[in-house]
Amino acid sequence: MLRRADHDLAAEAMRALDRIREVFPTGVVPPEVLTRVMGLPPMLRVSGVLPVLAFYAAKGKGNRKVDQAYGIVGSQLRAQIIGVLGWAEQGTPSLDLDFLKRLTEHLRRDPATTARITVRLEQFSAWLRRLAEALEKEQDLAKAARKADAGGEYDGNADV
């Protein structure tokens, strides 16, 4: 059976978003997290791979739920890079300084790999963005429905 890479990326992005949803007890992902996820593609284009990875390595540490969400995105970015490079790893390790050091050394020896990694991360982040946008809309509609059920005023054209 012929498999398409974009389908695999979409499935991986959906799993990442599902893991992020599981972090929050109600399953509702806060706007701060969705905004950051949706900002990943332009962040990659503007800043480049290594600064973005450093950002997620820094933000993904801590006990707050938002830190855990950043950690999930970071570990998924790491997994995408591992797939491009063919490095063997078990599980889904977090994005950390040791990995960034190893990656930086690899890229210094083989600069052409940077382009392959960049393309892969941009493709993955585009799927993650699309799915985060869909989740945001779904959450907004559910919130409006709850408000309407509670007897609150809701104008269905409020977003127009």
Side-chain angles (χ1 to χ4, degrees):
M1 179 174 187
L2 186 61
R3 291 178 46 171
R4 290 182 44 155
D6 60 330
H7 292 174
D8 291 343
L9 287 170
E12 290 173 29
M14 191 70 242
R15 280 192 294 275
L17 199 56
D18 285 343
R19 286 183 55 214
I20 290 170
R21 289 174 79 176
E22 291 170 3
V23 166
F24 300 95
T26 62
V28 175
V29 180
E32 171 190 354
V33 174
L34 290 174
T35 298
R36 183 60 70 185
V37 168
M38 289 185 283
L40 183 55
M43 188 179 185
L44 278 166
R45 283 190 299 277
V46 171
S47 299
V49 169
L50 290 174
V52 168
L53 294 175
F55 172 84
Y56 276 94
K59 292 289 188 183
K61 306 295 185 229
N63 294 326
R64 297 181 320 145
K65 298 208 178 296
V66 69
D67 297 332
Q68 293 172 26
Y70 286 127
I72 290 167
V73 173
S75 70
Q76 291 303 310
L77 294 174
R78 177 179 176 148
Q80 294 305 311
I81 292 168
I82 293 301
V84 169
L85 297 177
W87 292 351
E89 287 191 336
Q90 297 290 336
T92 53
S94 65
L95 187 57
D96 58 18
L97 292 177
D98 288 338
F99 177 78
L100 292 177
K101 181 179 179 181
R102 187 168 59 141
L103 177 62
T104 301
E105 288 302 315
H106 179 88
L107 295 177
R108 288 180 67 213
R109 287 190 312 275
D110 183 12
T113 305
T114 303
R116 291 186 10 240
I117 289 172
T118 299
V119 167
R120 179 64 170 259
L121 293 185
E122 286 178 352
Q123 291 170 336
F124 174 76
S125 69
W127 274 110
L128 197 55
R129 176 189 179 118
R130 289 179 190 116
L131 294 168
E133 288 171 342
L135 177 59
E136 180 181 50
K137 188 66 165 180
E138 194 175 277
Q139 288 181 171
D140 288 347
L141 291 172
K143 182 178 178 181
R146 284 191 305 273
K147 186 175 180 179
D149 288 345
E153 297 288 323
Y154 176 66
D155 177 6
N157 296 319
D159 290 0
V160 178

